[in-house]
Amino acid sequence: KQEVTQIPAALSVPEGENLVLNCSFTDSAIYNLQWFRQDPGKGLTSLLLIQSSQREQTSGRLNASLDKSSGRSTLYIAASQPGDSATYLCAVRWNTGKLIFGQGTTLQVKP
Amino acid sequence: EPEVTQTPSHQVTQMGQEVILRCVPISNHLYFYWYRQILGQKVEFLVSFYNNEISEKSEIFDDQFSVERPDGSNFTLKIRSTKLEDSAMYFCASSISTGNTIYFGEGSWLTVV
């Protein structure tokens, strides 16, 4: 069964810290992987998309990596800020058009 | 920046009533999706739509659900006879192709009482 898991479920860090969010998936034959941000009660904002042929993608302070063989992706956030506080979702697309989501990691960055 | 828009943002309905959730996908996108998120749970896929027909649907998307693209801009999700367990945030999404970024709307909160 194709599943996506994110650990930890919650993370609290002081402002300025660099941090890594983890995503793991069963079945390494993915098509692509997308990271999203979700603020409470709000929609999903796409952060980064990594195709299966890519190893990483960068956008500003965010860097996402992909290791298909081990079934893992990480989202690295540099110099975290209180405004980064949100839930971060990892979603994987396999051989169909749909995304399968992890349960998310809720990040709190303390001033 | 173009965005997916959804209406209503929040709807309360009585059990057994029909509900229509509306979405305007990004204008040059060809693939359309509905997902839902029950409070505290994962975001779940419901249905994908391409070329005026359903391309894939999940087990959740039973006969009570239907989708339609009535004109060149709107994409709707209809729930024929709502149940308490249909209470969730419903997200519309769109993409140019299956290999590109999927963009989500702000969601429609549906509360069935």
Side-chain angles (χ1 to χ4, degrees):
Chain A
K1 186 181 175 186
Q2 292 163 338
E3 292 184 341
V4 180
T5 304
Q6 293 183 250
I7 295 173
L11 184 62
S12 180
V13 300
E15 181 177 4
E17 193 161 297
N18 302 323
L19 57 101
V20 173
L21 306 180
N22 296 297
C23 171
S24 60
F25 47 90
T26 58
D27 187 354
S28 61
I30 71 169
Y31 193 71
N32 59 37
L33 182 149
Q34 199 165 344
W35 281 93
F36 293 90
R37 168 185 173 137
Q38 185 177 32
D39 291 287
K42 299 291 187 180
L44 309 180
T45 301
S46 179
L47 298 173
L48 289 162
L49 171 74
I50 308 182
Q51 302 291 352
S52 62
S53 57
Q54 297 174 322
R55 294 298 300 266
E56 64 179 311
Q57 282 287 333
T58 299
S59 175
R61 294 183 294 109
L62 305 179
N63 176 278
S65 68
L66 175 64
D67 183 345
K68 278 197 311 178
S69 61
S70 65
R72 291 181 186 174
S73 176
T74 61
L75 180 68
Y76 174 83
I77 303 177
S80 58
Q81 303 169 358
D84 294 330
S85 299
T87 296
Y88 290 82
L89 300 173
C90 169
V92 177
R93 174 185 272 152
W94 275 278
N95 58 346
T96 68
K98 68 183 180 189
L99 290 173
I100 295 178
F101 282 81
Q103 66 271 47
T105 295
T106 299
L107 172 66
Q108 183 185 32
V109 181
K110 296 180 181 176
Chain B
E1 184 172 315
E3 58 182 19
V4 177
T5 58
Q6 291 186 241
T7 54
S9 57
H10 191 193
Q11 182 162 353
V12 180
T13 190
Q14 296 241 325
M15 193 168 54
Q17 295 295 303
E18 176 182 283
V19 161
I20 297 176
L21 305 179
R22 292 181 167 81
C23 169
V24 179
I26 296 173
S27 62
N28 63 335
H29 285 187
L30 301 176
Y31 292 79
F32 314 116
Y33 314 87
W34 285 100
Y35 287 77
R36 80 172 185 189
Q37 186 177 31
I38 295 170
L39 191 63
Q41 297 188 20
K42 290 185 181 184
V43 177
E44 303 174 288
F45 168 78
L46 293 178
V47 65
S48 58
F49 192 86
Y50 169 72
N51 200 27
N52 283 320
E53 60 182 26
I54 290 173
S55 47
E56 187 178 3
K57 60 182 181 179
S58 71
E59 293 173 352
I60 303 167
F61 195 88
D62 61 21
D63 292 344
Q64 293 300 311
F65 291 87
S66 62
V67 288
E68 193 178 33
R69 186 153 164 84
D71 52 43
S73 59
N74 291 285
F75 180 51
T76 62
L77 174 69
K78 181 191 291 187
I79 308 175
R80 233 176 299 280
S81 177
T82 50
K83 309 185 193 87
L84 294 176
E85 54 264 37
D86 293 327
S87 295
M89 176 79 103
Y90 288 80
F91 293 110
C92 176
S94 69
S95 64
I96 292 176
S97 74
T98 56
N100 287 89
T101 298
I102 297 181
Y103 294 91
F104 282 72
E106 286 291 304
S108 293
W109 270 112
L110 176 64
T111 303
V112 182
V113 296

